Amino acid sequence: MNRFIHFIADRIGWEPYIKPFMYKELGPNLNWTAVLGSLCALMFVVEAATGIFLAMYYNPAPDLAYESINYIMNDVTLGRVLRGIHHWGAGAMVILVFVHMVTNFFSGSFKAPRELTWLVGVVLFLVTLGLGFTGYLLPWDQKAYWATVVSTNIPRDIPLIGNVITRIMLGGDTVSGLTLTRFLATHMLILPALLLFSMLFHIY
């Protein structure tokens, strides 16, 4: 396996660029907080992998979304496990990103010359929250529906642009099938792409 990796690295020519990241010298006073960033990246991979498998069986039509979740839970092999990993992994990812931010704040890691890294980290946290928010509606049950009704009405209080923001989020005046497909597209395409590019820049 090691020979294969060296073969690929030599042919592609990525080793001089990857080496500074893979073989970086670390300080002597390391503790458990040093692995939080890696754990966040790992959770993103887990969420992406389980999300892909769930998407193979999910139907975003308003009259079929809830039934497709039931099908995943009851009829798909290991579907209950996959959905459980995705569901609880989402909560774990939010907590890990938040703890990662807090530890970096209190250690002063946001100071020069790492201000840009900190700002990208804030963006990553907001995108992670956005993923949790848009994913919450997808089961299309009563809890998800009314939670989305409440949360999407909050921006209405913003002067001048509040109603516009809410209409963009909902795709209309109320939570509907258009809201469901809009949240699915945001959850599966827009936010993961933004998270991936931001994460690569953050690591760099």
Side-chain angles (χ1 to χ4, degrees):
M1 186 65 180
N2 199 31
R3 290 180 61 189
F4 175 74
I5 292 172
H6 281 295
F7 173 81
I8 296 296
D10 183 55
R11 296 305 182 272
I12 297 176
W14 66 15
E15 198 160 4
Y17 307 103
I18 299 295
K19 206 167 186 177
F21 299 101
M22 299 300 292
Y23 300 98
K24 188 175 182 180
E25 288 189 15
L26 299 174
N29 299 320
L30 291 179
N31 54 34
W32 60 272
T33 61
V35 301
L36 287 173
S38 300
L39 283 175
C40 293
L42 175 64
M43 287 310 304
F44 173 67
V45 173
V46 169
E47 289 299 284
T50 54
I52 288 169
F53 282 106
L54 291 173
M56 293 178 183
Y57 299 99
Y58 181 72
N59 191 325
D63 54 337
L64 296 173
Y66 183 75
E67 292 302 320
S68 67
I69 295 295
N70 274 337
Y71 179 74
I72 290 169
M73 293 290 285
N74 299 313
D75 298 315
V76 175
T77 304
L78 296 178
R80 189 177 294 270
V81 174
L82 278 173
R83 187 175 177 233
I85 292 172
H86 194 76
H87 174 79
W88 293 107
M93 186 173 173
V94 171
I95 293 169
L96 282 171
V97 174
F98 177 74
V99 173
H100 184 43
M101 279 187 63
V102 169
T103 54
N104 278 297
F105 178 80
F106 283 110
S107 66
S109 297
F110 60 90
K111 297 177 181 177
R114 296 175 56 86
E115 304 98 330
L116 197 56
T117 306
W118 168 260
L119 291 173
V120 176
V122 173
V123 170
L124 284 167
F125 179 62
L126 295 175
V127 173
T128 303
L129 291 177
L131 283 164
F133 173 67
T134 53
Y136 200 81
L137 177 65
L138 301 185
W140 201 242
D141 54 11
Q142 287 291 320
K143 184 171 71 170
Y145 178 88
W146 290 110
T148 304
V149 168
V150 172
S151 56
T152 53
N153 273 300
I154 293 172
R156 287 190 194 274
D157 294 330
I158 301 173
L160 301 176
I161 60 170
N163 285 329
V164 176
I165 293 173
T166 297
R167 282 185 61 84
I168 290 171
M169 291 170 67
L170 295 177
D173 293 317
T174 59
V175 176
S176 63
L178 189 57
T179 311
L180 181 62
T181 53
R182 188 163 292 198
F183 272 46
L184 178 67
T186 305
H187 186 73
M188 289 192 61
L189 300 173
I190 300 171
L191 292 180
L194 182 59
L195 186 71
L196 180 61
F197 285 118
S198 299
M199 190 167 66
L200 291 174
F201 185 73
H202 186 71
I203 293 169
Y204 175 77

